[in-house]
Every structure is written in structure tokens, then in C-alpha cells.
Amino acid sequence: MLRRISIMVLVAIILVTVGLSGCSKKDQSTSGDEDIKVVDSNENNTGDEPAKEEETNSEDNQQQEEQNNEDNQVDETKKNENIVYISASKLNVRSEASKEGKKIGAVIKGAAVEILDRQSNEAGEVEWLKIEFDNAEGNNEGWISAKYTVTDRMDLLGEGYKDLDLTAQEKIEYPENPRVEVKGVYVTVHSAAGKRLDNLIELAKNTNINAFVIDVKDDNGNMLFKTDAAEKYSPEANRKAPIKDIEAFMKKLKDNNIYAIARIVSFKDPKYAKAHPDKAIVYKNNGKPYANRDGLIWVSAHDRQLWEYNIEVSKEAAKVGFNEIQFDYVRFPASNGGKLDKFLDYRNELGESKPVAVQRYLKYARENLSPLKVYISADIYGLVGSVADDMGIGQYWEGVSNIVDYVSPMMYPSHYGNGVYGLSVPDAFPYETINIGTRDAVARNNTLETPAIIRPWIQDFTATWVKGYIRYGDKEVRAQIKALEDNGVKEYLLWNAGNKYSEGGLK
């Protein structure tokens, strides 16, 4: 199976690349910075359907080693020649090398697939490729149209990736703040300040849960506790801060051995936008602020003043005792694979690409927070690890993972479009969806010298809006955790907007 190809092949792929080089609390459907159902980064670019003695002995050994190296190089070259990348957003896999063949699955844009066989037409042109692919039944073989594949991954990318920093970074463990194998749950501002906090602490005592991801700056721009940063940059953000004694709050968490993660919603901030209307993303034709369907206004990842604001809030969180800062909505708004870009003004005064802006923000965060001996993490779309590009939102897997300590792809099965990963309804296949997504993420991490630890968000809610959905509870939570473990991923975070979790699935 291609996703199990050797690290050497994956490194070869990334060398080519280098050469060119969060969520509404009102609706579970926007869980963890997923404000749209993710299908792919270019929805309308579909293919096949309007759908990697002693001296003598020493000399002999050296010659043999050189020969082995040459053989390995030849083998690796052959392997690379047999790898292609999907250029269509969703490419059907068929049982036969024909458009009349039965559709037995699909592969998504950017997926790297290994060619098992080829079929050419009478003119000698390769028309069909036989590949291996994943679906609900496991590994399968089928045929795809060669028209919608490329041999060089960089053909799927572009100029906007060349300035990314993919060199080795210094990532250390702080003795004063030792790393924890996190198994955490999301906690809203209201739960943190109310009686539900005690219930969540009891949950931690009775299960494997040992960490809380707590809103410090939430989707509406509100603070958990009053901060000097908000008073300076967005005073209204302090008005409803519910925690009056943050020291006592943090002591309660520490007394109960809770690893505290501060969630900082970065670039969706209606209160900051209200205080600085000249910073909001606006429509070019009428100057009106851009908002997703939840009505919350977006500000730009290019805005250095907003960088300062978010990092100053993060510093205050670190100083009161949070172990880690998690950046959510660390992206540009969903824009239909970049199709809305010609209509929106992102306030891009520096002329930097989306993935470069996001990475530079995270680098700025690391530089400023490392002296406080606090770890940093970033939430990204679950599909980012499986596609070739940044999905038009600035989240390029290698660009993010190379900088932060922890990367949290939001792998809620309900947030993948039907047919993704060859699954009819990903929500109905919790194990399979997480298994394939995690396998892709691990493979992408293997191309980096200093990748982040993978700690996915998984689903603990029922997505009734999905056609073909299933109810989620203990069994489904366990299935997702098993999928992570089967891929060597030991950490996870559970999302439920109401902060009600399936205790039986966490023991």
C-alpha cells in the first residue's frame, strides 16, 4: 500500500517540495474550526465524471556497499516512477479500465498513489492506471483515468509555497513544564466558569482524560479572564470575562492534575474587527466585512497588529499557568478552494501567500512564547494531511507541523463529504475515516526532520444534519481512538460543543 512506502521515498518527495519552495458553540456542525463540510480544496475540478586478507576483505565490503547503494538508488527511482498524484478534486476508481466500469471508490486531490499496471490506447498513450486505494472494506485495487494525474507533486502547488520554512527547528521539552501524553476534552468559557467544571474534573478522575482545552479567547473574541492585551487592542473583549480569580481557577486545575491548554481563536474575531474596522476582511466591491454563515466577522492573518494581540493574550495565559497555547482558526476563511479570493480584500500589504502568512504567524508565536516555557499547537482541517495544497485557507501540512509542538487535525468524520476516502458516508465509518486520515498525516510528518506531535480532534457528538449519519457514543469514540492507536498516535482531543462526553468510551 502506497501509504506504507518507505520513509526514503517520502523524503525524496519532500525534497522536491522544498526545492520549490476553531468553532461556534451554538452548532455542533461548526466543531473545532470546521465551519463548512470539507470535501476538498477544489470542489468543481472533478475527473472521470462530470462528477517513494584483511585489506582485501575491506575492499570487497566497500565495493559491495557501493553496489548496494546503487541498487537501492535504482529501486527508489523505479518506485518514484510508479508514483503519481491526483490532480482532480475527486477521481473515481473503477473496476475496469473503462468509463463503463463500475465505480468502486474514489481518491482525492493530492493523494499519492502507486501504479500497479497501465493500459494504453491504440496510439500508445496511457489512458488508465491500476492503483491501490482505501475504502470501507480496506485495501483495494482499481483503475483511474491517467488524464487526472501528474508525476511531479509540485505541479499541484505553486509560487505561494516557495518561501515556507521547512528546515529543522529547535523543539525542546521544558523541565519546568514536562510534556504530557494528552487525552483531552474541550471546555467552553461558560463551562469553565460554571458547575460543569466540577463534572469534567470528575470525568477526568474516572477516565483517561488528563487535559482540558479551555477557551481563553473564544470565537466571539471574548476573554476567559480580563487581560491587559484585550484592554489595549479590543476592550469589549473583557466585558464578559467570567473568571474573576484566575489564580484560584488555575490552582483548582493543577490540584486535580489537569494539563491546561489555552485555546486562542486567532483570525475570526468580531470584537477586534469592530474596534478596528480597517482590519476586517471585506468585499472589494462594497467594502462590507466578510463573514461565514455563522455571521462572525473575519480579520486577516496578514494583520501584524492582530498577531501582537493574540500573542500578548497567550503570554498572559502562560504566565497564569497554562501549559500550552493552542491556536484555532489559524487560517483564512473558507473560500471554496480560493475561488472567492478575487472578491475579497485580505489586507495583504506585504504581498505574502496564505500558507506563508500562517506559518510566519506561528513562528512569531514560537519566538515570543518559548521564553515562557510553554508549548504551542495549532488546529487545522482534518483533510489537510491528505491533500497536496493548503486548501485555499493557508493550512499546508508541512508548513504548520514543522513549526508547532503539536498539530491537531480536526478529523470529525461528520465533516468529510460523502465519498471522501472512498467512504459513502464518512460519519458512518468512524474507525475507517480516522484510520485513513491519520495514516496520511503520519506519512506527511515523516517527510519532516522536526515534525509536530500529531494530536487529532475526534468526534463525540451526533451529526444529525448529515444524511446517513449514525449516533455517536461510547462505541464510536472507542473506534476513533483505536484507529489513532493503530497508526501509532497516542494523543487525542474530544469535541462536544455542550461539553458532554461519552465516559464509557474513555476508560
Side-chain angles (χ1 to χ4, degrees):
M1 185 61 214
L2 179 61
R3 290 187 178 91
R4 302 184 190 85
I5 61 176
S6 67
I7 292 178
M8 293 181 67
V9 176
L10 291 167
V11 170
I13 294 171
I14 195 62
L15 288 176
V16 175
T17 302
V18 174
L20 289 174
S21 348
C23 168
S24 170
K25 307 306 170 302
K26 297 179 181 179
D27 188 344
Q28 292 279 16
S29 67
T30 59
S31 304
D33 185 16
E34 293 275 9
D35 54 26
I36 60 170
K37 175 178 284 188
V38 178
V39 177
D40 51 61
S41 61
N42 190 3
E43 296 175 355
N44 297 321
N45 180 26
T46 58
D48 179 25
E49 277 298 314
K52 179 180 22 121
E53 299 280 335
E54 188 174 351
E55 288 184 4
T56 301
N57 289 336
S58 177
E59 291 176 0
D60 289 343
N61 290 339
Q62 182 175 352
Q63 291 176 356
Q64 183 62 49
E65 182 177 349
E66 291 174 353
Q67 183 61 48
N68 290 340
N69 288 338
E70 291 178 3
D71 291 342
N72 287 337
Q73 289 174 1
V74 171
D75 289 342
E76 294 304 324
T77 299
K78 289 180 178 178
K79 287 181 181 179
N80 281 315
E81 289 176 351
N82 283 328
I83 296 172
V84 294
Y85 304 90
I86 306 303
S87 59
S89 63
K90 186 174 73 173
L91 184 57
N92 289 323
V93 182
R94 297 186 177 273
S95 59
E96 302 173 11
S98 167
K99 286 187 177 181
E100 284 67 50
K102 180 182 178 181
K103 289 188 288 185
I104 58 176
V107 283
I108 60 177
K109 182 177 180 180
V113 295
E114 185 174 8
I115 302 171
L116 304 177
D117 196 4
R118 295 173 170 85
Q119 186 172 107
S120 302
N121 58 21
E122 293 180 356
E125 301 168 329
V126 177
E127 285 191 322
W128 294 90
L129 301 173
K130 188 176 185 180
I131 65 165
E132 283 187 322
F133 69 100
D134 288 309
N135 66 9
E137 287 73 43
N139 301 335
N140 287 270
E141 296 180 359
W143 293 86
I144 60 173
S145 172
K147 179 181 179 180
Y148 300 101
T149 65
V150 295
T151 57
D152 187 342
R153 185 178 185 183
M154 290 311 297
D155 288 342
L156 302 175
L157 301 176
E159 188 72 11
Y161 298 82
K162 68 181 180 63
D163 291 330
L164 288 173
D165 182 359
L166 301 180
T167 62
Q169 307 291 309
E170 183 180 12
K171 297 183 179 181
I172 62 175
E173 178 172 1
Y174 306 113
E176 308 90 335
N177 181 19
R179 290 183 183 270
V180 170
E181 193 173 282
V182 162
K183 295 170 174 58
V185 295
Y186 167 62
V187 181
T188 66
V189 167
H190 303 295
S191 290
K195 295 181 179 179
R196 188 171 295 279
L197 182 66
D198 291 328
N199 296 334
L200 293 171
I201 289 174
E202 284 302 309
L203 175 74
K205 290 179 179 179
N206 296 326
T207 66
N208 293 325
I209 296 302
N210 61 3
F212 292 169
V213 180
I214 304 170
D215 280 334
V216 168
K217 178 173 178 274
D218 71 9
D219 303 51
N220 292 288
N222 293 320
M223 296 288 116
L224 175 70
F225 61 98
K226 288 187 176 182
T227 64
D228 293 336
E231 208 59 38
K232 177 179 179 181
Y233 294 100
S234 181
E236 191 176 334
N238 272 338
R239 299 296 177 258
K240 296 181 179 180
I243 301 297
K244 307 307 179 184
D245 188 342
I246 187 62
E247 288 76 15
F249 175 79
M250 295 305 298
K251 183 178 185 301
K252 184 173 185 176
L253 296 181
K254 300 303 180 183
D255 287 347
N256 286 281
N257 300 311
I258 300 298
Y259 180 88
I261 303 174
R263 178 176 180 254
I264 306 293
V265 174
S266 294
F267 301 126
K268 185 161 75 168
D269 190 334
K271 286 188 168 52
Y272 175 85
K274 182 178 179 181
H276 307 276
D278 59 316
K279 302 292 187 180
I281 295 174
V282 296
Y283 287 97
K284 293 178 180 178
N285 64 341
N286 57 22
K288 291 184 178 180
Y290 175 81
N292 286 136
R293 60 187 179 186
D294 58 11
L296 300 181
I297 296 174
W298 280 79
V299 279
S300 178
H302 298 298
D303 181 3
R304 268 39 179 188
Q305 177 176 281
L306 182 55
W307 288 18
E308 293 176 9
Y309 174 29
N310 290 334
I311 302 312
E312 288 303 313
V313 172
S314 301
K315 286 181 179 180
E316 293 187 56
K319 289 175 181 177
V320 299
F322 278 91
N323 304 92
E324 180 179 326
I325 307 299
Q326 180 190 91
F327 296 103
D328 202 355
Y329 284 96
V330 56
R331 62 174 178 88
F332 288 80
S335 56
N336 193 15
K339 293 182 178 65
L340 287 179
D341 290 356
K342 61 183 178 181
F343 303 107
L344 299 178
D345 181 0
Y346 293 114
R347 316 281 189 175
N348 187 9
E349 297 177 358
L350 298 177
E352 59 194 357
S353 70
K354 290 179 181 180
V356 168
V358 167
Q359 189 191 60
R360 287 175 176 171
Y361 169 68
L362 294 172
K363 289 183 72 174
Y364 178 78
R366 171 174 286 284
E367 291 166 1
N368 283 272
L369 294 172
S370 290
L372 299 179
K373 298 178 173 53
V374 64
Y375 303 105
I376 66 169
S377 60
D379 295 339
I380 62 177
Y381 271 3
L383 201 57
V384 167
S386 298
V387 300
D389 57 16
D390 70 329
M391 296 185 66
I393 58 175
Q395 292 181 345
Y396 182 62
W397 180 277
E398 287 82 357
V400 174
S401 180
N402 196 48
I403 302 302
V404 298
D405 297 300
Y406 299 91
V407 60
S408 293
M410 294 164 287
M411 292 183 173
Y412 318 114
S414 62
H415 285 59
Y416 293 85
N418 292 351
V420 170
Y421 296 146
L423 302 171
S424 56
V425 183
D427 183 69
F429 296 95
Y431 175 87
E432 291 81 2
T433 303
I434 301 298
N435 181 49
I436 298 171
T438 305
R439 195 156 58 207
D440 287 350
V442 170
R444 293 288 287 273
N445 250 7
N446 285 338
T447 66
L448 294 168
E449 188 175 344
T450 54
I453 293 172
I454 299 173
R455 184 202 289 154
W457 281 99
I458 59 176
Q459 180 170 327
D460 195 6
F461 58 87
T462 298
T464 55
W465 58 89
V466 173
K467 186 176 182 180
Y469 76 92
I470 63 172
R471 294 208 166 273
Y472 272 63
D474 296 347
K475 177 183 175 182
E476 290 71 26
V477 168
R478 284 196 299 268
Q480 294 174 88
I481 293 172
K482 185 179 188 303
L484 297 175
E485 293 173 344
D486 287 351
N487 286 280
V489 174
K490 300 179 180 179
E491 303 191 32
Y492 57 82
L493 301 170
L494 269 74
W495 184 277
N496 180 289
N499 299 168
K500 298 177 182 179
Y501 298 100
S502 302
E503 184 170 334
L506 301 171
K507 293 185 178 180

